[in-house]
Amino acid sequence: MIQLDETVIWKQLSGIYGNSEEIPSLISELAKTNKKEIADELIWENLYHQGSIYDSTLASIPHLVKIIKDSDNDTFKMDLILSLGTVLIGYDSSSTLESVLHEDLLRENLKYRIKTAFIEAITEFKNIVDSSLEQAKRLDEEEKRWFLVAWLATKERHNEADVFNIYNGNEEYMFVCPSCEEETFLWNEDNVLNAYKKDPVSNKDQDTIEIVQQPSNENLKWLEDIVGELNIESLKRMLPYFNGQLNCYRCNEETTVFDGILNSA
């Protein structure tokens, strides 16, 4: 782990504002105060600005995981878990870390320290998420959907995590045909998922495309199980549609709806 007082190293690490010399003080303040506004500033304005990952992000994650472990504020801890779940989509292996570090001029021993501490922190984070399932059941609907993102990311279901990150509002989804790449708009209208050829916001006078609902799908049992365990009512209502079949209006290929949604992420 890169210690917070290793100022020279933090100045070498890439970040949204060039170097990362301000980040240790934010981490230190967050550890002392457990304040959400500091966590939001640190994560969304510095470590994961507009979805970008930096050297400083990788170096900071071990500190944030330690803060979660050390805090006795359950609300703060959960909020940090939900935030890190989004940040960590796709970043839990040496190969993905190399994609962040390979262009930098950091010494190899420094890259090794960052990677080793990060991977150890990811293992800890997976344990934290698993042990937080009971608390997650008491969250509101939106927070439960964000917890699902974190849970999926720790299970190496990164494409699935990305879907529920992109479409977390559960108001609309995109279906992309795996055969011809044609897009179909999926609109949640009073808990009914309707399919349209064109964007229904600007094309209101159009017929829906039939989704043949299925109560269950063996390939999506993992999703049915975690949605049921967390009791995410908003997604329970979507499962028969996710499990169902949709014929592409362009090539007529039949595809499981959730597979087409995955293809859009």
Side-chain angles (χ1 to χ4, degrees), residues 96-138:
T96 52
L97 300 189
E98 286 295 341
S99 70
V100 179
L101 295 169
H102 81 284
E103 292 185 352
D104 294 324
L105 301 177
L106 301 176
R107 300 188 310 275
E108 288 303 316
N109 67 324
L110 181 53
K111 289 183 180 181
Y112 177 79
R113 285 180 63 192
I114 293 172
K115 287 168 58 177
T116 300
F118 182 87
I119 290 173
E120 289 176 357
I122 291 300
T123 300
E124 291 281 358
F125 185 67
K126 290 177 179 179
N127 294 333
I128 289 170
V129 171
D130 284 341
S131 65
S132 300
L133 269 171
E134 286 302 316
Q135 182 186 352
K137 295 176 184 179
R138 300 189 293 274

Side-chain angles (χ1 to χ4, degrees), residues 202-238:
S202 53
N203 299 273
K204 298 186 182 300
D205 187 18
Q206 60 177 314
D207 294 329
T208 60
I209 303 169
E210 182 183 13
I211 296 176
V212 181
Q213 298 180 55
Q214 298 289 342
S216 188
N217 185 321
E218 182 178 347
N219 293 330
L220 290 176
K221 189 175 185 305
W222 60 269
L223 180 58
E224 296 170 15
D225 288 346
I226 187 60
V227 167
E229 185 171 3
L230 291 171
N231 195 28
I232 311 177
E233 290 291 345
S234 53
L235 292 182
K236 281 184 180 180
R237 301 184 188 107
M238 293 295 102

Side-chain angles (χ1 to χ4, degrees), residues 2-234:
I2 308 302
Q3 300 302 319
L4 298 180
D5 60 0
E6 293 186 86
T7 308
V8 173
I9 292 178
W10 285 99
K11 287 181 178 180
Q12 296 176 45
L13 301 183
S14 64
I16 180 62
Y17 302 112
N19 66 49
S20 305
E21 59 183 318
E22 301 298 326
I23 288 178
S25 61
L26 285 171
I27 294 175
S28 180
E29 188 175 359
L30 182 63
K32 293 175 184 175
T33 65
N34 285 192
K35 287 186 176 180
K36 182 182 185 302
E37 56 268 30
I38 298 173
D40 288 345
E41 178 185 355
L42 175 62
I43 294 171
W44 307 119
E45 296 181 22
N46 289 272
L47 304 182
Y48 193 65
H49 183 70
Q50 297 182 347
S52 296
I53 296 281
Y54 308 94
D55 301 339
S56 55
T57 312
L58 305 183
S60 298
I61 294 298
H63 293 282
L64 296 181
V65 171
K66 185 177 185 302
I67 288 172
I68 294 174
K69 290 174 61 181
D70 291 346
S71 175
D72 58 5
N73 183 330
D74 287 343
T75 300
F76 167 79
K77 290 168 66 172
M78 181 57 73
D79 189 71
L80 201 48
I81 288 170
L82 302 187
S83 295
L84 288 188
T86 295
V87 174
L88 296 175
I89 295 174
Y91 290 93
D92 67 350
S93 68
S94 294
S95 59
T96 52
L97 300 189
E98 286 295 341
S99 70
V100 179
L101 295 169
H102 81 284
E103 292 185 352
D104 294 324
L105 301 177
L106 301 176
R107 300 188 310 275
E108 288 303 316
N109 67 324
L110 181 53
K111 289 183 180 181
Y112 177 79
R113 285 180 63 192
I114 293 172
K115 287 168 58 177
T116 300
F118 182 87
I119 290 173
E120 289 176 357
I122 291 300
T123 300
E124 291 281 358
F125 185 67
K126 290 177 179 179
N127 294 333
I128 289 170
V129 171
D130 284 341
S131 65
S132 300
L133 269 171
E134 286 302 316
Q135 182 186 352
K137 295 176 184 179
R138 300 189 293 274
L139 299 173
D140 65 30
E141 279 290 302
E142 182 180 3
E143 289 171 330
K144 285 180 180 179
R145 294 195 297 267
W146 285 121
F147 185 85
L148 176 63
V149 172
W151 185 87
L152 290 168
T154 63
K155 303 304 177 188
E156 299 184 9
R157 288 189 173 273
H158 297 297
N159 200 14
E160 293 88 344
D162 206 22
V163 161
F164 289 108
N165 179 48
I166 295 170
Y167 305 118
N168 193 265
N170 192 39
E171 297 173 349
E172 60 185 277
Y173 298 86
M174 288 300 299
F175 173 101
V176 176
C177 176
S179 295
C180 71
E181 298 297 311
E182 187 64 60
E183 294 181 341
T184 300
F185 295 81
L186 305 180
W187 225 251
N188 182 352
E189 297 173 309
D190 295 326
N191 298 314
V192 174
L193 196 64
N194 288 318
Y196 297 98
K197 290 182 181 180
K198 300 177 181 179
D199 187 343
V201 171
S202 53
N203 299 273
K204 298 186 182 300
D205 187 18
Q206 60 177 314
D207 294 329
T208 60
I209 303 169
E210 182 183 13
I211 296 176
V212 181
Q213 298 180 55
Q214 298 289 342
S216 188
N217 185 321
E218 182 178 347
N219 293 330
L220 290 176
K221 189 175 185 305
W222 60 269
L223 180 58
E224 296 170 15
D225 288 346
I226 187 60
V227 167
E229 185 171 3
L230 291 171
N231 195 28
I232 311 177
E233 290 291 345
S234 53

